[in-house]
Amino acid sequence: MGTQDPLLSIYRIIFWRCIFLAEKKKNTAQICTELALPVAEQIGVELWDVRFEKEGTEWYLRFFIDKDGLTIEDCENFSRAIDPIIDEADPIEKQYVLEVSSPGIERKLITEEHVKKYLGYLATVRFVRAPEGYNQREFLLQLDDITDGVITASFEDGTEMVFNKADTAFIKLYYDFNSDD
């Protein structure tokens, strides 16, 4: 009888706990996030986001990882580490493509921690509906603060806008591709 990877045993336990204990209502991305967090920590990367989405006729399980100086080798190492764990846990009944990548230079800021990490940076903020007093939904704002889901941001002229993160369609970092910096 061969030796079994202890990390794989841990993932089996996590998987069954997710499925059979009060966590049955989690979606595929949430289950895969729980499976991937220890892998990311072990490899030394931050798990930025996990998405399970359909494009055309194909389903994609996408892991977005980050660290200073992220390389293609980091993505490859994460992919090789997570693939057997996802296969063993088998939380996805349909065929899918596994992708691992960086969240990119204009990354979406999904969590409050993401926003906190980029306070002082410019971001494109798109609202679900135009905020009261405005006739547009999308703004370029500097992120100044976030507390309990309430974001304070400012326009170029220093005027402040305060809004709930829940009222946004997305917030993503802004990068000026025309700048010489």
Side-chain angles (χ1 to χ4, degrees):
M1 187 151 120
T3 60
Q4 188 175 32
D5 181 1
L7 192 57
L8 198 52
S9 297
I10 291 169
Y11 282 108
R12 277 196 188 111
I13 292 166
I14 292 171
F15 172 72
W16 288 114
R17 185 178 293 157
C18 289
I19 297 301
F20 293 111
L21 300 175
E23 297 184 23
K24 291 190 327 187
K25 295 183 181 186
K26 291 190 176 184
N27 67 32
T28 300
Q30 291 168 326
I31 292 169
C32 291
T33 296
E34 289 185 4
L35 293 170
L37 281 169
V39 174
E41 185 176 325
Q42 182 181 26
I43 292 176
V45 297
E46 177 186 358
L47 185 63
W48 190 265
D49 192 19
V50 178
R51 298 181 198 154
F52 184 61
E53 51 199 1
K54 189 172 185 179
E55 287 185 12
T57 60
E58 300 288 326
W59 282 92
Y60 292 85
L61 177 59
R62 294 186 168 122
F63 291 93
F64 297 90
I65 61 173
D66 195 32
K67 77 172 190 179
D68 287 337
L70 186 73
T71 66
I72 190 75
E73 287 79 18
D74 294 317
C75 293
E76 181 182 352
N77 291 339
F78 183 86
S79 179
R80 289 181 191 274
I82 194 65
D83 189 42
I85 293 165
I86 298 294
D87 285 348
E88 176 69 24
D90 199 22
I92 304 171
E93 295 179 7
K94 50 188 86 122
Q95 287 188 326
Y96 64 91
V97 176
L98 174 67
E99 292 182 351
V100 178
S101 69
S102 159
I105 197 164
E106 290 192 312
R107 63 193 57 204
K108 287 186 178 180
L109 306 179
I110 301 158
T111 67
E112 189 160 321
E113 290 74 28
H114 291 165
V115 175
K116 283 180 181 177
K117 185 175 182 175
Y118 290 100
L119 292 179
Y121 285 76
L122 287 176
T124 302
V125 178
R126 178 176 293 165
F127 291 88
V128 176
R129 288 175 203 74
E132 190 174 324
Y134 296 93
N135 61 0
Q136 65 188 54
R137 293 180 31 217
E138 191 168 297
F139 302 88
L140 181 61
L141 300 167
Q142 177 178 302
L143 302 172
D144 298 325
D145 189 33
I146 182 167
T147 305
D148 297 327
V150 177
I151 297 174
T152 303
S154 54
F155 291 93
E156 188 175 8
D157 68 2
T159 305
E160 279 191 349
M161 177 186 267
V162 178
F163 56 91
N164 287 311
K165 185 174 180 323
D167 294 334
T168 65
F170 66 77
I171 301 171
K172 63 181 186 174
L173 284 184
Y174 173 78
Y175 180 80
D176 184 355
F177 288 97
N178 297 316
S179 173
D180 292 335
D181 293 335

